[in-house]
Amino acid sequence: MASASSSKLGQPTRRIDGRLKVTGAAKYAAEYPAENLLHGYVVVSTIAVGRIVSIDTRDARTVPGVLEIITHNSYPGMSWWDRDWQDETAPPGHPFRPLHSDRILFDGQPIALVVAESFEAARDAAALVHVLYEVGEPNTDLRAASDAAYVPKQKRQGIQPPPKPRGDAEAAFAAAAMKVEAEYTQPSEHHNPIELFATTCVYDDGKLTIYDKTQGSQNSQAYVCGVFDLKPENVRVLNPFVGGAFGSGLRPRYQLFLAVMASLKLKRSVRVEVSRREMFYLSYRPITEQTVALGADPSGKLHSIQHDAVQGTSRFEDYQETVVNWSGLAYQADNTALTYELAQLDTDTPGDMRAPGAATGVFALETAMDELAVTTGVDPVELRKLNYTYRDEDNDKDFTSKALHACYREGAERFGWSERNPEPGSMRDGHQRIGYGMAGGFWEAQVVPAEATVRLNADGTAEIKAAATDIGTGTYTALALVAADELGLSVEAIDVEIGDSDLPTNSVQGGSRMAASAGTAVLLACRAIKERLLKQAQKTKGNMFAQAALEDTIFENGSIALKGDPGQSVALTELMSDGKAIEEGGKASPDKKVAQNYLGYTHSAVFVEVRVDDDLGMVRVVRVVSAIAAGRIMNPKAARSQILGGVVMGIGMALHEEGFFDHRTGRIMNHNLAEYHVPANADIEDIEVIFVDEKDDLINPMGVKGLGEIGIVGVAAAVGNAIYHATGKRLRDLPFTIDKIIA
Amino acid sequence: MTEHTGASSSEGHAITLAINGIERQLQVHPWTTLLDLLREDLALTGTKKGCDHGQCGACTVLIDGVRINSCLTLAVMKDGAEITTVEGLATGTDLHPVQEAFIEHDAFQCGYCTPGQICSAVGLIKEGHAHNREEIRELMSGNICRCGAYTNIVDAIEDAMAQQNAGVPAQ
Amino acid sequence: MMRFSYQKPASVSEAAGLLAADPSAQIIAGGTNIVDLMKYDVTRPGTIIDINALELTGIAVNTEGSLVLGALATNAETAYHPDVVNGWPLLSSAILAGASAQLRNAATNGGNLLQRTRCYYFYDPSTPCNKRRPGSGCGALEGVNRIHAILGESENCIAVHPSDMCIALAALDAVVTVEGPSGKREIAFEDFHRLPGDIPEADNNLQRGEIITAITVPTNDFGQHHTYLKLRDRQSYAFALVSVAAAVKLDGDTLSEIRVAVGGVAHKPWRRKDVEAEFVGRPATRATFEAFAQALTAGATGHGQNDFKLELAPRAIVRALEQAAAGTPQSQTHKVIV
């Protein structure tokens, strides 16, 4: 262990992949060259329900360079079994099989692949494919579909269904002196990472090297092997750089299937890149309707929490996420009743999108809490503190750590919450109505199984290998920091290799788990290396290290020393003068013993100032303070960026983002970045991030919790609560656009 | 030497582009965008395709020093132009001050919008119309960052601008 | 995208001739609109006529004190040109409210006038659109119509002209010079763009073969009494839901001149000179502005998702007039709406 002063962990560190990114040298999935590369362009359905009557490809084939047009008519045989199509994060049901039949299940469904010698030929030929449909009647309206809402019979792996009710929530609500009951809605939200989904499948005599946009190279590899009945040794998936994903890459997307299918069929390398329009049709945060009912006494103490949610899913898979569970976790109440149902829509299956479930459920809960604060006259922060929970009552476990009080306190102080005049509309500046709003945030902190190898070279450099992924989260740097800290090397001396299915096993990067999991694996590998170095030191340096155990040593500046006597150090290169590298593997897995009694979560308190024009309804978020409790912060530089990113996405969720369905056709009409608005630079003003002290000795050996998602949770509610404070108008339907404010 | 970039001499148009200081004779179809020419035909994949419709700015390059979306530019129309892409900003191993500032301020996460942000920032600084954070934000709004790195992007640009105006305090 | 052939004429007459001869030919200047539309297969020209060799890039003030903008001068060059900034600040402001810096660097003045609507159905060839395909119907009428027109529509088309620059040009009484097979003519700005009526496919009154060569904006003495106010779904890089170009002249406390053009509400910039004439001589007060706003938006109809514009448009007009009267034009970078 490095001494506190020289510990790399906790120091703001520049990204080690930074140079590659700012020079354009980092390559993404559509950018790898291959000999005789073919290009595939996807033709997608323009109806939501029905059947393909005919596909006329004659005009398309006249475009020079077109080789092949693959449709359901020329569908090559592949695995029949659903399980071969189900990837790591697939929900229950029948995974979609591109080009499988003439049935149309959703607007934007891939129905043909045009393969040509150039991208342009493929694209232009695709526009000439004429499709005749038998058009059915779609339903994409959740309100209409929710009459037939149901509790999913088969639960999605890794997703907890709502906990059992506690007490009698309905009766307690009826008896409560203070009541809040309201409906909250959220439209479809689309990930829209800037990189388009793409796969370059390089074919070499039956062996495939696949560059895929994915959050898990091994997930894509397993999918390809299962679907096409290929041996893993013949399929390698690489994803060293991923241009953002936010959950959309947790499942293989159809361009992977199409590229591999074409590659195998034509025995050539094939690249398929979807267009921005198609990005709207693969994975999205599900459309949700929620009802929250809170019953409290006049002091604000909660006695009853009821939270019901209905989410839209496809007709072929029961997508699920934890929407309502947070309401049983967040606040103490003796009576709770939480329900979760699905309703089928003629859409593609939704997918995890940054803090899936929590971004949605906590929006409703934290808005309802603000409404309760108004009803009771209790300050919103005080209300949260009054109802603080010290254990996870639904799972009957303690928290590994929970510094949420510090988040409330430090966030409020940095924000200047005490300056708030609680009367809505009381704070003004010319035409601007000023509003202060806040909300709490909750997210999981998990460790999942992960492996890594670390190799210490005789020259004092080290290499890390793991099939982990960096989607912008800073995995490269985080892993390097762990090794640098453990082995006492500089970050520059560490080479990190990730994004390759050939490397040690890792699951998909998601759920904010990667740094903790792969990081722990690296830590364990380093410790094994250090044990061997200590043994070597005991052999060759005799008395100095005799009787010493690992915890008696310090590794820093490329040397090993005894804690009590740091002046006497031995260079690692000296210990390795035989020139042989030391390589060790590390396997991280959740601590079952800890899991028996404890659960880990990250927490936050976010404070927002908005300015709303008193007549014109335009909203600016001028100031955000996000106070985060996430255990030990490995790299404050990258950690702050993750939270900033989450806050920005939360502002988008609050003010801008919505898929506009034309329910007559089931088509998303704003399937482009001009009309689906994500925040632009001018939308983002001051954001400050605070990491409160939180020591966690139980969650994993490093005490680290993930940060990728907590940043977005609660932001939409905080913005809405601030708008209420500014205007006296309570908004419950996302996004809070100008029409809703002036209504 | 004419590079055949998907177009034969009978159907293409001959153009000359100076790309990152190197003059190239090219044969292009009229419908080929500058973006696709760079990425598909010239293996200059630093410039990114995010939307292909001028709605995200990831494809921003400098044409005769002016920042433009290359996805909406037909290559054939830029005969004789000087093109600077992200690959042409560094001098040898020395990064451009904007590139360096982006690393220092962690002005990127996934890195995909980054080349466009950087070229746009270089163009912005040359245009000389941004004097404070508000103006930087507005004039950089043609570059969407879904990772939400805007705060750091503005910090980086402020820093690079200040260095450029060394001696004049940044506002 | 359809394959097309490429021509680069050396003169206006050559360009006009090429256009007139080939019904499937279209001109390209900056390309920011037409390349977008071609990639979506909304438009499929057989020939693209690159007019950038025509020497139409000048920006100057003529002997009458009018601003003469070359059709091929870029939006950015125009917005930042010292003559424009000093003498026609409303125009500069409106241009800078639109698009992005990159797009403004490429887009031309002529192209700005000719840009097509952003209607979702126009842009989506798999949906009905009378503008894109006459007779196929209007998808927006009973569909997703948040961004659509509330004034001057017809049952055939409720599309909106998306330009910011044009709203200012309308308020400033610009004149468009065009050249075609029948020679040169001038079109008053209010006559340049059309209302959809029964021919929604015709955005403007150009005849086949005519090319815009210049836009002339008469001198004005509004000084600082102008504003371009743009309301949209995010702070930048988005089209207007409602926008207002306003300019006033005050004689003491009364209006001696009042000009208002509204964007985001109709198939062309919405301006009513008859209404303006009625309000000359009235006090420059909020009450007057509210009455003006009601009169200017008289007859407005919502179509479901754009009903909010019935409320938003008059409010925006009032605020714009207050800004103009106070001499505090809206800044496009400082986002507080004064």
Side-chain angles (χ1 to χ4, degrees), chain A residues 46 63-64 118 120-125 127-128 277 431-432 613-620 655-656 660-664 667-680 682-683 685 737-739 742-743, chain C residues 1-3 39-41 44 118 120-121 123-124 126-127 138-144 146-147 229-239 241 286 305 308-309 311-312 315-319 322 334-338:
Chain A
T46 54
V63 175
S118 74
E120 287 167 339
R123 174 195 64 196
D124 298 343
L128 295 173
R277 178 191 59 189
H431 277 296
Q432 299 176 84
D613 188 282
D614 60 7
D615 209 29
L616 301 173
M618 279 201 72
V619 178
R620 284 165 54 222
L655 298 180
H656 305 132
F660 289 134
F661 279 84
D662 185 330
H663 292 308
R664 301 172 300 179
R667 193 160 174 71
I668 299 176
M669 295 312 299
N670 60 334
H671 45 210
N672 58 69
L673 291 178
E675 296 302 331
Y676 181 93
H677 294 129
V678 305
D683 291 296
E685 301 192 28
T737 46
I738 198 171
D739 49 300
I742 65 169
Chain C
M1 180 143 83
M2 196 172 96
R3 275 55 211 310
K39 287 194 196 187
Y40 280 131
D41 292 295
R44 294 182 146 179
R118 307 301 305 189
Y120 319 107
Y121 298 86
Y123 259 92
D124 190 337
S126 73
T127 65
C138 173
L141 200 56
E142 281 166 30
V144 181
R146 176 185 178 70
I147 60 176
L229 178 62
K230 181 173 183 179
L231 304 176
R232 41 184 160 174
D233 278 328
R234 66 179 176 198
Q235 295 290 346
S236 189
Y237 205 15
F239 293 92
L241 292 171
R286 191 183 167 94
Q305 293 180 18
F308 70 93
K309 291 191 183 185
E311 190 57 49
L312 189 63
R315 292 191 193 191
I317 293 165
V318 171
R319 180 67 62 85
E322 286 180 328
H334 184 57
K335 298 297 182 182
V336 176
I337 303 176
V338 298

Side-chain angles (χ1 to χ4, degrees), chain A residues 9 41 100 144 261 316-317 344 359 508 741:
Chain A
L9 293 181
Y41 199 90
H100 182 66
M261 173 196 68
F316 44 93
E317 282 176 313
Q344 291 191 347
V508 286
I741 297 187

Side-chain angles (χ1 to χ4, degrees), chain C residues 67-224:
Chain C
L67 176 68
V68 183
L69 301 172
L72 290 176
T74 66
N75 286 174
E77 285 163 357
T78 305
Y80 290 120
H81 194 281
D83 288 340
V84 180
V85 171
N86 293 325
W88 292 264
L90 172 57
L91 179 61
S92 174
S93 182
I95 294 172
L96 293 177
S100 67
Q102 292 96 312
L103 291 168
R104 296 191 293 261
N105 282 337
T108 63
N109 293 331
N112 196 308
L113 266 60
L114 298 175
Q115 70 183 286
R116 312 303 304 277
T117 183
R118 307 301 305 189
C119 170
Y120 319 107
Y121 298 86
F122 174 73
Y123 259 92
D124 190 337
S126 73
T127 65
C129 171
N130 286 321
K131 181 181 287 290
R132 178 178 26 84
R133 203 156 47 96
S136 63
C138 173
L141 200 56
E142 281 166 30
V144 181
N145 53 38
R146 176 185 178 70
I147 60 176
H148 289 73
I150 54 172
L151 287 159
E153 335 83 283
S154 78
E155 279 200 348
N156 300 307
C157 183
I158 58 170
V160 157
H161 195 280
S163 169
D164 296 294
M165 182 180 185
C166 287
I167 310 304
L169 290 173
L172 293 170
D173 278 336
V175 173
V176 185
T177 308
V178 309
E179 270 183 59
S182 8
K184 200 167 166 170
R185 67 186 178 110
E186 290 188 344
I187 309 175
F189 206 81
E190 61 195 325
D191 298 326
F192 185 83
H193 294 104
R194 298 182 62 257
L195 290 179
D198 291 326
I199 331 171
E201 64 267 30
D203 288 354
N204 55 59
N205 287 313
L206 282 182
Q207 278 155 26
R208 181 73 197 159
E210 285 186 321
I211 295 173
I212 301 171
T213 56
I215 303 159
T216 305
V217 195
T219 188
N220 70 85
D221 51 357
F222 296 114
Q224 282 297 97

Side-chain angles (χ1 to χ4, degrees), chain A residues 498-716:
Chain A
I498 57 174
D500 182 343
S501 59
D502 277 357
L503 298 178
T505 304
N506 272 264
S507 65
V508 286
Q509 154 120 55
S512 308
R513 304 181 295 226
M514 183 133 292
S517 310
T520 301
V522 170
L523 178 87
L524 295 173
C526 288
R527 292 218 172 137
I529 291 175
K530 284 157 67 171
E531 292 281 7
R532 283 173 63 177
L533 286 167
L534 177 57
K535 278 203 178 67
Q536 182 66 7
Q538 286 165 340
K539 246 192 346 195
T540 58
K541 295 291 166 180
N543 297 332
M544 235 179 100
F545 293 95
Q547 318 296 346
L550 198 57
E551 51 260 32
D552 303 319
T553 61
I554 302 178
F555 282 73
E556 62 185 5
N557 301 320
S559 306
I560 176 176
L562 285 172
K563 272 195 186 139
D565 190 9
Q568 291 235 48
S569 61
V570 181
L572 301 185
T573 48
E574 199 187 313
L575 291 177
M576 298 172 71
S577 54
D578 65 354
K580 289 208 205 111
I582 303 177
E583 183 169 309
E584 287 288 338
K587 263 194 186 144
S589 52
D591 188 330
K592 289 202 171 73
K593 221 156 146 255
V594 167
Q596 268 170 13
N597 296 309
Y598 297 92
L599 279 173
Y601 296 97
T602 44
H603 300 88
S604 70
V606 58
F607 297 79
V608 168
E609 177 184 336
V610 301
R611 302 229 166 179
V612 185
D613 188 282
D614 60 7
D615 209 29
L616 301 173
M618 279 201 72
V619 178
R620 284 165 54 222
V621 176
V622 304
R623 214 161 51 96
V624 178
V625 172
S626 178
I628 307 285
R632 183 174 194 189
I633 305 302
M634 281 213 277
N635 181 358
K637 213 179 187 81
R640 174 174 167 270
S641 294
Q642 279 300 290
I643 302 302
L644 289 174
V647 171
V648 171
M649 205 173 260
I651 291 172
M653 183 177 179
L655 298 180
H656 305 132
E657 298 185 41
E658 177 175 8
F660 289 134
F661 279 84
D662 185 330
H663 292 308
R664 301 172 300 179
T665 57
R667 193 160 174 71
I668 299 176
M669 295 312 299
N670 60 334
H671 45 210
N672 58 69
L673 291 178
E675 296 302 331
Y676 181 93
H677 294 129
V678 305
N681 203 323
D683 291 296
I684 304 305
E685 301 192 28
D686 291 338
I687 307 176
E688 203 178 327
V689 179
I690 305 172
F691 293 108
V692 307
D693 282 335
E694 186 180 65
K695 196 162 186 298
D696 194 320
D697 295 324
L698 294 167
I699 190 110
N700 54 55
M702 294 184 296
V704 158
K705 298 179 179 178
L707 283 166
E709 288 164 286
I710 184 68
I712 192 178
V713 184
V715 175

